[in-house]
Amino acid sequence: MQSEVHRDLEKLSFLIGRWEGVGVTGYADMDEFQFGQEVEFSHDGGPFLGYRSHVWRLTADGSLDELWTSETGYWRCRPGPAEEPAPDTPSIHVEALITHPEGYTEMYLGTVFASRVELTTDAVLSTETGERVTAGKRLYGLFGEQRETLGYAWDMAARGHDLRSFMSAQLKQVS
């Protein structure tokens, strides 16, 4: 944990920093390809993390090509409930808003356990001409001998398809 983060962010502090790496994407109506990615989780002392991601297609030799997409947003931890939730009600620890240039915004709710975050969409809002995304699920977590790799998997329901694998990557923290 980083001591300078807002006390409400302690559970998410393992994400803070800039991460770079490679991944793969593909969907029911889209050919699979490899990409390079930069993800940054930042904080300015408030009770939220800033989030941004840039994804570039990779060329045949593994270098970055054209920017494919990006996303920006905010993540924050919810305060604990005033009373114990009902046994069949899952605890919600995290809220995340993620906006895409393809014309949609996702609102996620999720849980944090050690160095792992699981998010599921609570709502998706699209512009009139935006991508028709209806649901998403994301998993972020540290792994490796020293917990040095941030891995994630993103499942998406879009364009009339059910929830299915969309993107995944393995990222290393950079200074």
Side-chain angles (χ1 to χ4, degrees):
M1 281 187 243
Q2 298 186 10
S3 60
E4 70 270 6
V5 300
H6 191 280
R7 68 183 175 278
D8 292 348
L9 294 176
E10 289 176 353
K11 287 182 178 180
L12 292 175
S13 65
F14 70 92
L15 293 170
I16 294 171
R18 197 170 97 233
W19 303 82
E20 294 179 354
V22 296
V24 65
T25 187
Y27 202 65
D29 53 2
M30 182 180 98
D31 290 338
E32 188 175 284
F33 65 89
Q34 290 188 321
F35 60 83
Q37 184 173 24
E38 177 185 83
V39 170
E40 184 172 15
F41 289 92
S42 61
H43 68 94
D44 63 6
F48 58 87
L49 292 180
Y51 167 78
R52 71 174 184 82
S53 168
H54 290 92
V55 176
W56 296 267
R57 286 181 177 269
L58 290 180
T59 63
D61 69 2
S63 60
L64 298 180
D65 197 7
E66 63 189 31
L67 180 68
W68 183 63
T69 192
S70 62
E71 48 185 33
T72 61
Y74 295 96
W75 294 39
R76 63 185 189 163
C77 287
R78 290 173 84 168
E83 56 188 55
E84 196 66 32
D88 58 342
T89 305
S91 296
I92 303 296
H93 303 123
V94 180
E95 300 170 338
L97 297 171
I98 300 176
T99 301
H100 306 263
E102 292 84 12
Y104 68 100
T105 297
E106 300 167 288
M107 185 181 89
Y108 284 94
L109 299 177
T111 58
V112 181
F113 180 73
S115 57
R116 179 175 142 165
V117 180
E118 291 186 39
L119 301 169
T120 302
T121 50
D122 186 50
V124 180
L125 176 66
S126 297
T127 63
E128 183 180 345
T129 61
E131 185 75 40
R132 293 294 171 226
V133 174
T134 56
K137 187 171 186 171
R138 297 184 186 215
L139 172 64
Y140 293 80
L142 295 181
F143 66 93
E145 286 186 30
Q146 305 296 317
R147 299 268 189 231
E148 72 282 1
T149 301
L150 176 64
Y152 79 86
W154 176 12
D155 295 345
M156 180 175 70
R159 302 183 293 276
H161 300 287
D162 291 334
L163 198 64
R164 59 181 59 211
S165 179
F166 176 54
M167 294 179 80
S168 62
Q170 294 183 12
L171 312 169
K172 299 284 188 188
Q173 195 163 32
V174 295
S175 49

